Amino acid sequence: MTKSSKQKKREKARLRNGITVLVILLIMVGVPYAILNYQAGKSGMSIQEVIQRKMVKSEGAESGQTPGATATAEGEKIDFLVRQHIGNEYDEKPMISHVVVEDFDEDGLLDVIVCDALDNFVSWIRQYPVNVFTETILGRDLIAPAHVQVKDFDLDGDKDLLVAVLGLLYPSNDKIGSIVFLENDGDFNFTSHLIIERIARVSDVRAGDLDGDGDLDLAVAQFGYDDGETRWMENLGNGEFKTHMLQNLSGPINVEIVDIDEDGDLDLITLVSQEWEEIYAYINDGTGKFRMKLLWGSDNEDFGSSGIFLYDLNQDGRLDILYANGDAFDYIPPQGKPWHGLQWFENKGNLEFEYHRICDLVGAYSLRPADVDLDGDLELFAVSAFNLWEDLEAQSFIWMENVGNMEYIKRDITNDPTHLIVMEPGDFNGDGLMDFVTGGMYPYPPFDRMSRVSLWINDGSLVSEE
């Protein structure tokens, strides 16, 4: 073989090696870039913001912000709630997905608005007279209603209902979601208007004037399954709406409309579950143009976000975020996890929030504040939909007694009924004490301790006689 031939072979070998290295580098750089670009497109972020999000999550994991066990003190059970069934009787396993406590007819007595995902309706459990409850169906053929908001949507002076309709309770990528407006004629006769249909499953809808033009627009969370969305819908009048897409991540559960930056216009706070497990703020410039900010994200893709609720928990004049993680619908049968529990994000101002773990609760849902002992501070209450029910001591309803300095003692309320997925407080008998309403959902056994809608009356035994 000539020297020239050997040299050509070496050059070809170097070229092949160079091409191989280049291909490897392209794969090493190109695949992560493609993933980042995909996530940027879905989330509405820039690639740089996606990278920052991953760094924030990593730092949160290192600092323990995604918790395991907590050291919250546990106290003895104190019986102060007396339970009674309200609303329709039931023969099949109840599937209550949402309840709202509201004096719907403004007669001075609290009522309950109910989403029933078994029989696919929204109903009104009216209280009249005191402690007499009658349930009336207001909207039918709403396939798996997930959330209802009481709102004078058409601004005619009476209370209407906005309903987020999943289309199917269980995960699905089919475009089966819808939003329904139940219009009140002033005499509590309701006409159903379909605002939008054939979209990813709708888990939440709220009304507010997002563009400052005087009418009510909509903020929408669409859980979907793999293909979810967060949007706002501009009210154009005459029943017409224009969609403005905010994000395309799967798993949005809640969309709260609040003025979180206290600048006089309405912003959005959203909770996204699935593999994202994140809380976002959408800051409004006053005209419906939103700037997105990631407030928090878990590094545990199986964290199980189950709901947020905005309230000034530490009573410093700023809205905090109460957050439960206890969802287990990703499993068949659903199975609660040891990292499930309750936490709150303290609003420090300037869109900065400090994470505080409160306690562990397998299957946690519906974290709510209430001053049940009239001592001026706020206790916390929560229910469990997916606790480990084979353990007969597993609780479905608990409370955290406030002992000062934002410290709590965790106390049991009950293990019967099981599978409680929604809970709201309210003074139902007008005695100045907070009572509670719960709703049960039973997609899996056991079925020996069921309840559809229950009212829990505060007997006053916690109130000091001093």
Side-chain angles (χ1 to χ4, degrees), residues 163 321 372 410:
V163 187
I321 302 173
V372 291
K410 179 182 176 183

Side-chain angles (χ1 to χ4, degrees), residues 117 120 143-145 165-174 176-177 201-202 224:
N120 300 313
I143 308 304
V165 181
L166 288 168
L168 181 68
L169 185 62
Y170 299 101
S172 172
N173 280 324
D174 294 340
I176 52 179
R201 297 185 312 140
V202 182

